[in-house]
Amino acid sequence: MLILALAFTVLATRGINTPLKVLSHACHRLAQGNLTAPVKLNRGDEFGLLASSFETMRQNIHHSREVLEVLYEINKLINSEIDLQATFAGVASQLKRLLDFDRASVVLLDETKENFRTVALFGPGGERLGTGQSFPVAGSAMEWVFKQGRASIESDFSQGGQFWEDAILLGEGLKSGIRVPIYRGQEIIGTLNLNSRRPNAFSEADLEILTPIAEQMGITLERTRLFQAVERAKTEWESTFDAISDPLMVVRPDGKIARGNRALAQIAGVEVEKLTGIDHWLAFGAEHKAENCAVDAVLKIGQPVEWEINHREQNRVMMVSAFSIFDSSGNVVSVAVHSRDITEAKRAEASRLQTERLRALGELASGVAHDFNNALTGILGYTNILRYQVKEPAVLRDLEVIEKCAQDAAQIVRRMQAFYKVHAEAQMIPINLKQLLMDVLDLTRPRWKDRPEVEGISINIVLQFTEVPSIVLEKTIKSS
């Protein structure tokens, strides 16, 4: 009897120890994070039920961990990629680890809320529901989700599709689908859609996985929208910058050019891309930085500065203006330098000043000529009187020379008066070109003959006239 009791005790102990060891090993694996090995114990008693509970717990923990891993990878993709299609392809690939689907897409409403378009696609459906195409909202799943404010799950398109796109998807061999709203703030802007070739492929449990992913997609879409807006603004700014006809550049605190436009590149004689990083003074043909650099002054005082520079290589005069660019804290971070070619303006100003000098000289010459004419009148008058009183031939010849010189002087005075006089009325008179040329030579004789002779240079002008007809010019007559 005692032996039977001992045998029974040994058998009972073995029956308990074996399942306890199995459960103990399973707990140890779970504690170490090993969720791949199943808990197997084929018993119909309490140990079997306990093992079944362990296995269910292992599966749930394994699934939860896989979901977290997928969400983590998706979050990394969303935060590291700007291109929406590339991001979505990675998201869909990760989702395939958790869900069985054949097609995934993201659709967005337009500003009017009357149409939507597919902005990202993974899988079939590129012909009739492809990216870039626009579709009406009316009667679509997008309309239902937008109005209801919640996800839509369709079990079988072949049992009478609820929305117009269901027929298109069914024609491509897809039979079920789930659409999850994508939000921007509190507003639905689109949906995350999964479709499967199997009916009844999606459940509420799948919705729990897709909802946080749709939220992340909303963040991605908003970031993409902002990035595209910044890119458009950048492109518009660069286009405007390059369209300015005057040289323009942004200079960093170290004196290097951060950005220059096409007009500056033409002045510097380089391509636009090669302006970045060079010393700003090189763009204007200077060999070295000026001792009192205006850009340094602007960086220091934060006030605009304007100055002129001469571009030696191109023989141009530039008016340069420098302005401070501030950051949000009010610190000067760079300098905008605008240059304007004032060469022609300088020449026009010099011409105007020359004209003013000639006008002043004309007024002065007019007064001098008047006084000179009075003196010549007296000389000619007394010369004529002397000619009647003197009978000696030698004296008469001298008087003729005096008279001739006085008449020549009077003629020169008349030419000067005609040259400098300001007139009001005009009439057409014939002009003898030969005589005009002679008058010009006589009037400019001190320039081309007398001055060079003082320096030992002899200039002789030989005139060979042919028959030149007179021309008619406008002659002005001063009004009284």
Side-chain angles (χ1 to χ4, degrees):
M1 193 70 179
L2 180 59
I3 294 174
L4 289 175
L6 288 174
F8 178 80
T9 302
V10 170
L11 292 174
T13 302
R14 289 179 178 178
I16 295 174
N17 286 340
T18 299
L20 285 177
K21 286 181 180 181
V22 171
L23 294 176
S24 176
H25 290 159
C27 290
H28 183 68
R29 289 195 301 269
L30 291 175
Q32 290 183 332
N34 182 2
L35 302 175
T36 57
V39 180
K40 294 182 178 181
L41 188 61
N42 298 320
R43 293 171 65 105
D45 56 6
E46 287 79 1
F47 288 110
L49 293 174
L50 185 59
S52 177
S53 298
F54 266 102
E55 175 61 16
T56 301
M57 181 179 67
R58 182 198 67 79
Q59 293 176 359
N60 290 337
I61 294 175
H62 183 269
H63 178 71
S64 297
R65 188 171 75 172
E66 192 171 16
V67 169
L68 290 175
E69 289 176 352
V70 168
L71 292 177
Y72 174 74
E73 293 298 326
I74 289 176
N75 186 62
K76 282 202 308 182
L77 283 168
I78 288 174
N79 289 315
S80 62
E81 189 66 59
I82 293 297
D83 181 75
L84 180 60
Q85 181 60 47
T87 300
F88 189 66
V91 169
S93 296
Q94 289 295 326
L95 275 176
K96 292 284 279 182
R97 293 170 54 186
L98 302 177
L99 303 176
D100 181 18
F101 63 92
D102 299 288
R103 181 184 190 272
S105 65
V106 174
V107 301
L108 293 180
L109 288 166
D110 64 10
E111 295 295 330
T112 66
K113 304 294 190 296
E114 295 179 355
N115 297 284
F116 69 88
R117 59 188 176 88
T118 303
V119 297
L121 179 65
F122 180 86
E127 295 182 2
R128 299 185 62 185
L129 294 174
T131 56
Q133 302 179 53
S134 183
F135 308 97
V137 169
S140 69
M142 179 73 253
E143 181 184 46
W144 190 92
V145 172
F146 182 76
K147 289 183 176 180
Q148 299 296 323
R150 56 189 176 90
S152 165
I153 299 177
E154 288 187 88
S155 300
D156 193 345
F157 297 152
S158 63
Q159 301 300 315
Q162 187 177 353
F163 311 112
W164 62 258
E165 62 262 54
D166 292 349
I168 297 175
L169 295 171
L170 184 62
E172 295 176 352
L174 301 169
K175 295 184 178 180
S176 60
I178 183 170
R179 288 126 176 159
V180 184
I182 298 174
Y183 287 85
R184 182 171 63 203
Q186 301 297 318
E187 179 186 15
I188 294 176
I189 59 171
T191 57
L192 168 62
N193 312 309
L194 299 185
N195 300 106
S196 175
R197 298 186 185 280
R198 298 183 300 103
N200 303 304
F202 303 103
S203 65
E204 293 292 334
D206 299 330
L207 184 59
E208 293 181 2
I209 297 173
L210 293 173
T211 298
I213 296 175
E215 292 176 356
Q216 290 294 315
M217 289 303 302
I219 296 173
T220 298
L221 290 168
E222 179 64 10
R223 188 180 61 184
T224 301
R225 184 185 69 83
L226 293 175
F227 178 79
Q228 291 173 346
V230 171
E231 281 294 304
R232 285 194 300 270
K234 178 176 178 290
T235 301
E236 291 173 1
W237 180 85
E238 289 179 343
S239 300
T240 303
F241 196 73
D242 285 332
I244 297 173
S245 58
D246 291 334
L248 189 64
M249 61 179 163
V250 177
V251 181
R252 302 194 302 251
D254 60 0
K256 306 290 185 182
I257 296 176
R259 178 74 165 87
N261 68 349
R262 298 190 183 278
L264 181 69
Q266 292 177 355
I267 288 289
V270 299
E271 298 178 359
V272 175
E273 295 76 14
K274 294 183 178 179
L275 286 171
T276 302
I278 69 171
D279 295 319
H280 69 274
W281 56 85
L282 296 177
F284 295 109
E287 296 179 354
H288 53 78
K289 183 178 180 181
E291 183 177 351
N292 297 317
C293 180
V295 173
D296 289 346
V298 174
L299 286 168
K300 183 177 181 180
I301 66 176
Q303 297 296 323
V305 175
E306 190 173 72
W307 73 101
E308 287 185 15
I309 62 172
N310 292 308
H311 196 295
R312 297 177 182 176
E313 295 180 1
Q314 299 190 11
N315 193 27
R316 312 296 291 178
V317 181
M318 311 294 293
M319 175 62 72
V320 183
S321 304
F323 307 90
S324 303
I325 299 177
F326 300 92
D327 61 12
S328 58
S329 301
N331 300 313
V332 180
V333 293
S334 55
V335 177
V337 181
H338 170 259
S339 308
R340 181 166 51 91
D341 191 337
I342 60 171
T343 306
E344 297 304 323
K346 280 285 186 181
R347 291 172 181 170
E349 178 66 14
S351 177
R352 186 187 67 80
L353 292 176
Q354 179 66 12
T355 302
E356 288 295 321
R357 283 194 291 268
L358 289 174
R359 185 185 64 79
L361 181 59
E363 293 177 356
L364 177 62
S366 178
V368 171
H370 178 74
D371 295 337
F372 197 49
N373 268 334
N374 290 338
L376 291 173
T377 300
I379 293 173
L380 289 171
Y382 284 108
T383 301
N384 286 328
I385 292 173
L386 288 173
R387 289 178 63 184
Y388 286 105
Q389 294 178 354
V390 175
K391 301 303 182 182
E392 294 83 353
V395 176
L396 287 173
R397 284 194 300 272
D398 291 339
L399 289 175
E400 288 176 359
V401 172
I402 294 173
E403 183 179 23
K404 180 65 169 64
C405 291
Q407 288 175 348
D408 289 344
Q411 181 65 21
I412 292 173
V413 170
R414 283 193 294 274
R415 290 171 186 165
M416 291 176 61
Q417 287 178 317
F419 181 78
Y420 289 117
K421 186 178 291 184
V422 180
H423 306 285
E425 299 178 1
Q427 66 180 25
M428 304 302 291
I429 61 170
I431 295 295
N432 188 310
L433 293 179
K434 187 186 300 183
Q435 185 60 47
L436 177 62
L437 181 58
M438 295 294 297
D439 291 343
V440 170
L441 288 174
D442 288 341
L443 190 60
T444 60
R445 183 180 298 274
R447 284 269 187 181
W448 64 264
K449 184 173 179 60
D450 297 344
R451 290 186 183 180
E453 287 182 350
V454 172
E455 299 176 2
I457 301 173
S458 178
I459 298 176
N460 293 316
I461 296 180
V462 178
L463 301 176
Q464 294 180 345
F465 293 115
T466 59
E467 289 299 324
V468 180
S470 298
I471 61 173
V472 178
L473 296 176
E474 181 183 272
K475 178 184 178 182
T476 57
I477 304 175
K478 186 176 181 180
S479 58
S480 56

